[in-house]
Amino acid sequence: MTPIELLLDRASCKTYTTQPLLEDEIRLILQAGQAAPSGRNRQPTAFLAVTDPEIRRTLSRLNAEVLHTDADPFYQAPAVFAVLADPAVSTYLYDGSLAAGQMLLAASALGLGSCWIHRAKEVFATDQGKAILEKAGLPLDYEGIGFVIAGHPAQQPAVKAKTSRVGYLK
């Protein structure tokens, strides 16, 4: 698959096998996030990779509580990545979002399924969320930007038609 095909064919995956990710896959997804451009190259982002089933369940539960549901918002994906950023940096939200986007593309390039999941801000504002950050050695004052879930797809996600508005002035 060419790089442009990868960009155009990436789709959100919501069904996963139980097969765990390899350490190299986790490392490459994290490196893709770290390599993302940021405003003035300040790199205000931090990343959390979770494959521990207990911590994954806790993050899922906290995320589900924000939604007022009992369903797993991480769709049983075996790996959960959190993207956080320093809110003292004016471009933190954009920088963190771009990092998450690159992580999604990296997962696709590796043949994995992935999906962006919201509510990281609310999850890491809780005492339990902060305890997870502290356990991982990450800054407690960083704001959650989003989650990237990843795993081996149980079925290939369908690429949806592109419906965004586009203007072109020539």
Side-chain angles (χ1 to χ4, degrees):
M1 181 177 287
T2 68
I4 196 70
E5 289 171 328
L6 175 72
L7 291 170
L8 297 176
D9 290 344
R10 196 214 71 79
S12 294
C13 180
K14 296 183 180 176
T15 59
Y16 298 90
T17 70
T18 58
Q19 181 181 353
L21 271 63
L22 301 172
E23 289 298 321
D24 280 348
E25 293 169 328
I26 293 167
R27 180 183 49 78
L28 288 168
I29 291 169
L30 289 168
Q31 285 180 327
Q34 291 174 306
S38 65
R40 299 176 71 193
N41 199 31
R42 287 178 285 200
Q43 302 295 316
T45 48
F47 304 91
L48 172 67
V50 176
T51 56
D52 176 280
E54 183 179 328
I55 296 171
R56 189 215 165 281
R57 276 191 299 277
T58 299
L59 289 173
S60 174
R61 180 182 49 76
L62 292 170
N63 196 302
E65 286 174 2
V66 176
L67 281 172
H68 306 290
T69 185
D70 291 330
D72 177 13
F74 298 146
Y75 301 103
Q76 304 300 315
V80 175
F81 300 88
V83 179
L84 305 109
D86 183 354
V89 174
S90 63
T91 56
Y92 81 103
L93 185 58
Y94 313 110
D95 298 337
S97 296
L98 189 52
Q102 284 207 178
M103 294 169 78
L104 292 164
L105 291 171
S108 289
L110 294 167
L112 300 170
S114 64
C115 188
W116 168 286
I117 305 294
H118 289 284
R119 297 166 298 280
K121 179 178 179 177
E122 296 87 349
V123 166
F124 292 110
T126 67
D127 289 341
Q128 285 183 299
K130 288 189 183 310
I132 291 169
L133 293 179
E134 186 172 30
K135 183 176 182 176
L138 294 173
L140 301 183
D141 59 340
Y142 274 34
E143 186 174 297
I145 303 301
F147 291 100
V148 171
I149 60 170
H152 297 273
Q155 60 189 33
Q156 280 307 118
V159 177
K160 298 199 167 93
K162 311 302 184 245
T163 58
S164 302
R165 292 185 171 95
V166 175
Y168 177 41
L169 303 173
K170 193 170 176 183

